[in-house]
């Protein structure tokens, strides 16, 4: 029998993770999940023949599922405080803005969807571009000045 107890405290990265990073990871996970679910919906409807072009529906569905993986991977990286996750997270927010604009220029129920997407994307951009986020993720800004120089 082992006399060592298993640690009941969370890992250091989870204990030290600021709220802003957790919210940013949640925003990315939400967007990734929405993309993946939309892709699965398109795939199912295409396979069932409920849409006009089944081939187009399947292609769009596969593309949406693949695109949904990007923000989901970024969200995981953000939760683990990985510096590489900032790039995919930033790209996801930038890509969401034209989609939100297109939804805002539509009609009916797509307008509120565009408002929500725009709010989520702007929130994500504010969080990811904040200098504190850059510092938390350990990303250097500009050339490092050396004391000898």
């Amino acid at each position: 029998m082992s006399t060592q107890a298993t640690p009941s405290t969370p890992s250091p990265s989870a204990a030290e993770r600021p709220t802003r990073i957790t919210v940013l990871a949640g925003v990315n996970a939400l967007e990734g999940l929405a993309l993946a679910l939309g892709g699965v919906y398109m795939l199912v409807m295409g396979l069932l023949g409920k849409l006009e072009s089944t081939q187009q529906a399947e292609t769009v569905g596969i593309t949406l599922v693949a695109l949904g993986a990007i923000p989901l991977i970024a969200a995981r990286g953000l939760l683990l405080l990985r510096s590489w996750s900032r790039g995919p997270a930033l790209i996801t927010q930038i890509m969401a803005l034209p989609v939100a604009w297109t939804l805002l220029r539509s009609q009916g129920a797509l307008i509120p969807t565009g408002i929500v997407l725009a709010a989520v994307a702007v929130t994500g951009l504010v969080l990811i571009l904040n200098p504190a986020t850059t510092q938390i993720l350990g990303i250097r800004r500009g050339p490092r000045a050396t004391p000898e120089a």
Side-chain angles (χ1 to χ4, degrees):
M1 286 183 25
S2 174
T3 58
Q4 293 179 346
T6 57
S8 60
T9 59
S11 67
S13 63
E16 298 170 4
R17 184 181 330 114
T19 306
R20 83 174 63 248
I21 298 294
T22 305
V23 170
L24 182 58
V27 164
N28 277 275
L30 177 70
E31 290 171 333
L33 189 60
L35 281 167
L37 289 176
V40 169
Y41 173 79
M42 291 289 287
L43 278 170
V44 169
M45 290 298 123
L47 291 173
L48 294 176
K50 303 257 181 183
L51 301 174
E52 286 183 30
S53 172
T54 57
Q55 184 179 8
Q56 184 178 9
E58 292 166 5
T59 303
V60 171
I62 291 169
T63 302
L64 287 176
V65 169
L67 285 175
I70 295 169
L72 288 172
I73 292 169
R76 173 88 171 132
L78 287 166
L79 288 174
L80 296 174
L81 300 176
R82 304 289 192 247
S83 61
W84 59 261
S85 61
R86 184 174 185 247
L90 180 62
I91 290 169
T92 299
Q93 305 316 312
I94 291 171
M95 287 175 41
L97 290 175
V99 175
W101 177 255
T102 302
L103 291 172
L104 287 170
R105 299 189 41 89
S106 345
Q107 298 177 0
L110 294 178
I111 293 174
T113 305
I115 292 170
V116 169
L117 181 58
V120 168
V122 168
T123 301
L125 280 172
V126 167
L127 290 171
I128 197 93
L129 294 175
N130 190 312
T133 303
T134 303
Q135 183 180 12
I136 292 164
L137 293 175
I139 300 170
R140 289 187 350 195
R141 293 184 55 178
R144 177 182 277 179
T146 58
E148 300 89 35

